[in-house]
Amino acid sequence: SDLYAVDDIYAVCQRLMDGGVTINRPPRDGHMAFVRSPDGISVELLQDGHLEPAEPWASMPNTGVWLHDARSRQGPRAER
């Protein structure tokens, strides 16, 4: 998965939703969200700084699967 720090996680998620991107794990806490890119890559968004929880995000349910599920399908990693 890819990780991006953003200045306003709510604005970024709204722009992505407006563009047709599914928000798999909304930023209910104002801190973290997961989306899946059009080519199937799990993308984690982290708020740079602090935002208070806000609606509609705080009440929005998860949709589909994100990072945890993608990792579980990769199988065990080789020990070094």
Side-chain angles (χ1 to χ4, degrees):
S1 76
D2 292 336
L3 170 68
Y4 294 94
V6 297
D7 291 329
D8 184 338
I9 198 164
Y10 297 136
V12 170
C13 286
Q14 188 62 58
R15 280 196 308 271
L16 291 171
M17 280 181 48
D18 291 348
V21 173
T22 298
I23 308 298
N24 296 113
R25 193 268 187 205
R28 286 187 292 273
D29 56 4
H31 178 69
M32 176 182 65
F34 282 95
V35 302
R36 188 163 308 276
S37 70
D39 54 352
I41 296 171
S42 180
V43 177
E44 181 177 3
L45 304 174
L46 288 178
Q47 173 64 38
D48 185 16
H50 178 76
L51 289 181
E52 291 296 323
E55 294 297 344
W57 309 105
S59 300
M60 196 176 289
N62 291 339
T63 302
V65 295
W66 62 98
L67 181 67
H68 175 73
D69 184 66
R71 282 188 178 160
S72 68
R73 286 184 287 177
Q74 291 176 357
R77 294 187 178 176
E79 296 293 324
R80 293 182 189 222

